[in-house]
Amino acid sequence: MTGAAQGFGRAIAAALAARGANIAVLDLNPAAETVAEVEEAGRRAISIEVDVSEPDSVEAACRSVLDAFGRADILVNNAGVYPFRDFFEVDYHYWKRIQAINLDSQFLMARGLAPSMRDRGWGRIVNIASNSLGLAVPALSHYMASKGGVVGFTRGLATDLAPYGITVNAVAPTASRTPGGEANIAAEVLDGVAAMQAIKRSGTADDVVGTVCFLAGDDSAFVTGQTIMADGGLVRL
């Protein structure tokens, strides 16, 4: 899974390991703590440093995953960035960079690992989207475009891969108190978001774990092409 050195990714990796999965921890940064948590659960883990926005880097990472484990059953596309920036300060280079990290990376990872799933007739792909698509949040046009693309990609890929026993779904968290969330979102904004939710507390990394694990297993075999809001009841679809 990508973006697994901290936050949502680290929590998901540990939870999947507890359910019996071996984990390839892909991140731009070293992920020793995530690897340790997976190993504490009695499963095997490898850490691969990768720039998910770069095709050659992703290709090499996917090759390392398949060399290490011989197969890929589950792909969680979690890597992403969510910087606030006024639209008039967004130039084309910045726009493309956000799309590359948040959206292109999911295509590249799926393209690299879906053939392994196809060959065995079973696979689960879970893409991390965002509940911001249902909100009026300023200074996030670039981000919301990328996450809207994630939802569209999820829906299209679900159709393309269904004949091979592969489901593709997305999970959309809320603004949460993760390392990334707290680094990019002011505390008062996180508090304000929590106040608008039905469940009036800030989201944490653990709050997406159950939904991702459900979509990564056999209990969700008849669920595909869906985006599930794991956001405390803020956005209703």
Side-chain angles (χ1 to χ4, degrees), residues 3-13 34 78 177-181 204-206 208-209:
Q6 63 178 12
F8 292 134
R10 180 176 170 183
I12 294 165
T34 305
N78 170 70
R177 293 191 181 277
T178 62
T204 69
D206 288 337
V208 303
V209 165

Side-chain angles (χ1 to χ4, degrees), residues 26 48-67 105 107-113:
L26 278 60
I48 302 171
E49 293 184 33
V50 56
D51 181 346
V52 294
S53 69
E54 292 293 336
D56 290 344
S57 183
V58 172
E59 182 179 355
C62 290
R63 193 162 52 243
S64 295
V65 171
L66 297 175
D67 287 345
S105 65
F107 162 76
L108 293 171
M109 288 299 306
R111 189 67 185 84
L113 296 180

Side-chain angles (χ1 to χ4, degrees), residues 130-141:
S130 169
N131 75 338
S132 66
L133 296 174
L135 302 170
V137 184
L140 281 182
S141 295

Side-chain angles (χ1 to χ4, degrees), residues 191-218:
D191 290 340
V193 170
M196 292 188 293
Q197 296 167 184
I199 301 172
K200 298 190 182 303
R201 63 166 176 79
S202 292
T204 69
D206 288 337
D207 289 320
V208 303
V209 165
T211 308
V212 172
C213 288
F214 165 68
L215 294 173
D218 282 329

Side-chain angles (χ1 to χ4, degrees), residues 3-237:
Q6 63 178 12
F8 292 134
R10 180 176 170 183
I12 294 165
L16 288 172
R19 289 162 172 78
N22 296 318
I23 307 292
V25 182
L26 278 60
D27 202 289
L28 191 60
N29 301 304
E33 293 178 342
T34 305
V35 169
E37 287 193 22
V38 171
E39 291 176 344
E40 286 173 10
R43 307 308 302 175
R44 182 184 174 199
I46 60 170
S47 177
I48 302 171
E49 293 184 33
V50 56
D51 181 346
V52 294
S53 69
E54 292 293 336
D56 290 344
S57 183
V58 172
E59 182 179 355
C62 290
R63 193 162 52 243
S64 295
V65 171
L66 297 175
D67 287 345
F69 295 109
R71 57 195 280 183
D73 298 311
I74 300 164
L75 167 62
V76 180
N77 277 314
N78 170 70
V81 292
Y82 43 97
F84 289 84
R85 182 173 291 195
D86 184 89
F87 176 75
F88 294 103
E89 300 300 321
V90 176
D91 61 20
Y92 185 65
H93 175 77
Y94 185 81
W95 170 272
K96 292 294 289 183
R97 180 62 178 160
I98 300 305
Q99 310 313 308
I101 296 170
N102 289 356
L103 176 57
D104 296 353
S105 65
Q106 299 199 5
F107 162 76
L108 293 171
M109 288 299 306
R111 189 67 185 84
L113 296 180
S116 173
M117 302 176 187
R118 177 195 59 196
D119 291 346
R120 291 186 336 282
W122 193 97
R124 299 288 182 265
I125 299 175
V126 183
N127 300 322
I128 301 301
S130 169
N131 75 338
S132 66
L133 296 174
L135 302 170
V137 184
L140 281 182
S141 295
H142 50 291
Y143 173 77
M144 293 173 72
S146 69
K147 290 301 186 177
V150 167
V151 172
F153 178 57
T154 297
R155 293 174 179 177
L157 193 62
T159 302
D160 291 341
L161 298 186
Y164 308 104
I166 304 168
T167 65
V168 186
N169 292 285
V171 176
T174 192
S176 301
R177 293 191 181 277
T178 62
E182 293 181 322
N184 290 280
I185 305 171
E188 57 268 25
V189 174
L190 290 170
D191 290 340
V193 170
M196 292 188 293
Q197 296 167 184
I199 301 172
K200 298 190 182 303
R201 63 166 176 79
S202 292
T204 69
D206 288 337
D207 289 320
V208 303
V209 165
T211 308
V212 172
C213 288
F214 165 68
L215 294 173
D218 282 329
D219 286 342
S220 61
F222 205 53
V223 179
T224 198
Q226 305 304 308
T227 299
I228 300 177
M229 298 291 168
D231 70 346
L234 179 55
V235 174
R236 316 290 176 91
L237 294 178

